[in-house]
Amino acid sequence: MKHRELLKFAVVGGTSFLIDNIVFYGLKLTILEPKPVTAKVIAVLVATIVSYVLSREWSFRTRGGRERHHEAALFFLVSGVGLVLNSVPLWISRYVFLLETRT
């Protein structure tokens, strides 16, 4: 049973990675072209919500655990750290080092 959960967890992670990149590039190359950090924040938020729902309802559906609101708070707290880790390098490269691509 643990192998099945691990496989589902990997699928959720891969799906979230794809969603993050698709949303990021979709926004960055269109309506948020001048604001890549905003595009990244939105993309990570969308991917995080999808990851939470898939993890809760599919990967670990049969597991017991903490109350839903406590579990969600922990998940989104840790995901907030991930959001910062994803956004800070992009912010530094764009606004401190003034690196950007022109098309």
Side-chain angles (χ1 to χ4, degrees):
M1 198 59 141
K2 298 287 182 197
H3 291 89
R4 185 179 226 118
E5 279 184 353
L6 181 61
L7 181 59
K8 287 179 178 182
F9 181 73
V11 169
V12 169
T15 301
S16 298
F17 173 78
L18 289 174
I19 289 170
D20 177 22
N21 282 290
I22 290 167
V23 171
F24 173 62
Y25 285 109
L27 292 172
K28 182 179 170 280
L29 297 174
T30 58
I31 61 174
L32 289 176
E33 185 177 354
K35 298 180 180 242
V37 177
T38 303
K40 188 59 171 175
V41 168
I42 292 169
V44 170
L45 287 173
V46 170
T48 299
I49 291 166
V50 169
S51 176
Y52 175 75
V53 171
L54 287 177
S55 292
R56 174 92 176 134
E57 303 300 327
W58 185 58
S59 296
F60 303 110
R61 174 175 35 120
T62 59
R63 274 200 181 187
R66 302 170 192 254
E67 293 179 33
R68 187 175 287 222
H69 69 277
H70 187 252
E71 199 173 72
L74 287 174
F75 184 88
F76 286 104
L77 177 68
V78 171
S79 295
V81 173
L83 174 66
V84 171
L85 292 175
N86 270 286
S87 303
V88 167
L90 181 59
W91 185 88
I92 290 171
S93 68
R94 175 70 180 224
Y95 299 108
V96 175
F97 297 127
L98 304 175
L99 300 174
E100 63 182 278
T101 58
R102 303 235 186 232
T103 54

